[in-house]
Amino acid sequence: MKKRNIVFLLLLVFVSSCAPSIEECDKYKSKDSKNACIVNLAVAEKDVSICRQGPPNCYNAMWQEFPEEATCMKIDSLQQKKDQCYDYVATKINEIGICGRISAQAQKDACLNLISRINEDTSRCHLILNATVRDDCLGIFSV
């Protein structure tokens, strides 16, 4: 049993030493290669904070790879990206409650409308502030 634990520990140390680091990404001369390295590192480490040092599409890669509300919550200082994340995740996992976390009202209304339409459920349409979008949502069952 002790031998097994030692082998596991050695394997764990080896695997963690193989993961790229920000310093390794900084060694790339081309911006595209460096950015690709940062995106891959963020996804491999499941660490949204790494995206602060990378290209804007790093956040998109994170929420597409990990479509979870928690991923969006870790995006700081970029409200537009955070809103896009909540919108994507809410639609991807079909969870209308996540739409409520979107700060941009037009995007929140669109999210609520889309998921209501997907589920053919008008119970959340009253949360939509834009009258045109709300009427579209409530008209799901209109003929």
Side-chain angles (χ1 to χ4, degrees):
M1 186 67 171
K2 283 185 179 185
K3 218 178 207 185
R4 213 180 224 174
N5 290 342
I6 292 172
V7 170
F8 177 74
L9 184 60
L10 289 173
L11 183 60
L12 183 64
V13 168
F14 174 75
V15 169
S16 21
S17 67
C18 292
S21 66
I22 287 293
E23 292 78 26
E24 289 177 37
C25 294
D26 287 337
K27 292 177 184 176
Y28 285 100
K29 296 196 190 298
S30 88
K31 187 174 183 175
D32 289 342
S33 296
K34 178 180 176 181
N35 285 341
C37 179
I38 291 171
V39 171
N40 289 333
L41 176 62
V43 170
E45 297 292 323
K46 294 180 83 172
D47 186 354
V48 176
S49 67
I50 293 171
C51 291
R52 284 187 225 128
Q53 300 172 54
N57 71 335
C58 182
Y59 293 102
N60 303 46
M62 288 299 293
W63 71 61
Q64 289 172 5
E65 190 69 29
F66 310 106
E68 303 157 359
E69 188 175 7
T71 302
C72 305
M73 295 172 86
K74 293 175 186 171
I75 298 173
D76 57 349
S77 74
L78 295 170
Q79 191 59 49
Q80 183 181 12
K81 283 292 182 188
K82 188 177 269 195
D83 285 350
Q84 290 171 346
C85 180
Y86 284 132
D87 193 9
Y88 177 85
V89 171
T91 305
K92 181 75 174 174
I93 66 173
N94 195 17
E95 179 52 57
I96 200 165
I98 295 174
C99 296
R101 292 193 167 274
I102 299 171
S103 66
Q105 191 60 51
Q107 192 170 4
K108 182 187 297 187
D109 288 350
C111 181
L112 291 165
N113 185 28
L114 178 62
I115 296 179
S116 293
R117 294 182 73 73
I118 288 169
N119 294 318
E120 297 182 347
D121 179 5
T122 60
S123 65
R124 300 280 181 101
C125 295
H126 69 281
L127 298 173
I128 299 171
L129 297 185
N130 180 295
T132 305
V133 179
R134 184 176 53 247
D135 290 347
D136 182 56
C137 184
L138 290 168
I140 291 171
F141 300 109
S142 297
V143 180

